Structures are given as structure tokens and as C-alpha cells.
């Protein structure tokens, strides 16, 4: 699904900038440095799965090129998936990497299939995770079946040498129910 480029980049904020706008549960999930895949696997009692929605080369959004430190309108590999708990979409995830950094990096995102990118990033100690940021994710950036206003999302950039992979995770309403905050 193509995304429109915005004239102004979407605004992401750190935990300090958002506090106290979030509940304790939201703060915990949005800014936890551990693997989201592992945490979702735990709360789903091992009923976790990944459903790929689309992936391929696209022009990256302005907020993404800024975060990756690449020129506006750069091409990148874009992967969008649902992270599911107990069969329900709990998280919409969008991961991007600039073509200029990805090619020749040895990382083939096209081969992930239904495996979690987080599993890969957290198992490779060479990747260093940058600061987590959060925001209400624009509804028109979401797949139609989960499109909604005011959904909380987080993102962070994983770096290994010149390669940077930006991962954004949008927490869907069914997730908050499962996490005990409806």
C-alpha cells in the first residue's frame, strides 16, 4: 500500500517529552527496550505469529528518511506485517531500510517470510538499538482493516555499521485488551 509523502515529517517524541501523557501500562509497552516479539509471545502464551502484508522497494516517507539520515525521496526496503497474539492482529509493524545501506550489508529482509524481524535484530549482537520514540500513528498510514485514529505507536532504529533498520510498531485496540488496558 503506497503511503503519501507529507510536507512536514510526522512528529515522534521520547518518553521524557510525552510524560505524563501516557498511562503506566502505555509507558511500559511503548518504551520497553526488550524484544516486543518475546513480550507478545509471553502474553499470548506462545500463540504468537507474524502475518506479512506487503514488502518491497518503495520511496521512504519523510519521517523515515530523517530518522535514517538519508536524502529525501530515498528508496528503501519496506516490510509491513501484523504481529498476532492468539490469532488476532495486536500490532501493525512497518520496518524500513535505505537501499543504499541495505545492499551489500548481508541482511536479506526479503527472506524473512513469516519470521519476526525483531527476533533477527535481537539475536544479532552487532545491532545496537537507538532511543525509542512514540507518537499517535496517522490513520491513513495503516491498513484499511485496522485504520483508526489515535493509535499509539513506537519506533526505534537498529544500527549495525552503516546499516540502519527503522522499526515502527503500532499497538492495535485488541492488544490493549489483552494487555489488560481497554
Amino acid at each position: 500500500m503506497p503511503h503519501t509523502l507529507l510536507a512536514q515529517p510526522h512528529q515522534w517524541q521520547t518518553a521524557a517529552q510525552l510524560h505524563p501523557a501516557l498511562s503506566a501500562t502505555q509507558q511500559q509497552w511503548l518504551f520497553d527496550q526488550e524484544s516486543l516479539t518475546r513480550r507478545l509471545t509471553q502474553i499470548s502464551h506462545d500463540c504468537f505469529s507474524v502475518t506479512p502484508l506487503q514488502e518491497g522497494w518503495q520511496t521512504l516517507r519523510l519521517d523515515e528518511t530523517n530518522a535514517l539520515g538519508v536524502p529525501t525521496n530515498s528508496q528503501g526496503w519496506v516490510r509491513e506485517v501484523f504481529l498476532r497474539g492468539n490469532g488476532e492482529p495486536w500490532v501493525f509493524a512497518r520496518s524500513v531500510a535505505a537501499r543504499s545501506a541495505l545492499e551489500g550489508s548481508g541482511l536479506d529482509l526479503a527472506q524473512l517470510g513469516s519470521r519476526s524481524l525483531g527476533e533477527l535484530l535481537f539475536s544479532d549482537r552487532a545491532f545496537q538499538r537507538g532511543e525509542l520514540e512514540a507518537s499517535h500513528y496517522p490513520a491513513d498510514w495503516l491498513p484499511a482493516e485496522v485504520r483508526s485514529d489515535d493509535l499509539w505507536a513506537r519506533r526505534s532504529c537498529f544500527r549495525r555499521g552503516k546499516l540502519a533498520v527503522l522499526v515502527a510498531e503500532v499497538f492495535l485496540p485488541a492488544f490493549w485488551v489483552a494487555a489488560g488496558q481497554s
Side-chain angles (χ1 to χ4, degrees), residues 45-167:
H45 307 288
D46 292 324
C47 290
F48 171 81
S49 63
V50 176
T51 303
L53 300 174
Q54 68 91 23
E55 58 186 330
W57 297 110
Q58 292 182 15
T59 301
L60 300 178
R61 296 188 315 237
L62 184 57
D63 69 305
E64 294 167 337
T65 58
N66 288 346
L68 294 170
V70 296
T72 303
N73 295 322
S74 288
Q75 286 286 305
W77 187 261
V78 176
R79 171 181 159 93
E80 294 182 344
V81 302
F82 280 137
L83 306 180
R84 294 180 182 271
N86 302 315
E88 287 187 282
W90 280 359
V91 175
F92 166 74
R94 178 178 165 95
S95 305
V96 301
R99 182 189 292 260
S100 58
L102 191 58
E103 290 180 337
S105 72
L107 182 64
D108 189 356
L109 296 177
Q111 297 299 313
L112 281 172
S114 62
R115 289 180 302 149
S116 164
L117 175 60
E119 185 180 308
L120 171 74
L121 295 173
F122 278 93
S123 66
D124 184 341
R125 294 192 186 277
F127 277 102
Q128 298 296 310
R129 183 183 216 165
E131 186 172 25
L132 282 159
E133 302 172 302
S135 176
H136 285 290
Y137 203 74
D140 60 344
W141 289 358
L142 291 163
E145 62 267 33
V146 296
R147 193 162 291 153
S148 182
D149 291 320
D150 299 325
L151 296 179
W152 279 110
R154 70 180 197 168
R155 75 172 189 181
S156 61
C157 195
F158 291 82
R159 297 185 183 276
R160 182 184 76 189
K162 294 180 182 178
L163 175 62
V165 180
L166 184 65
V167 179

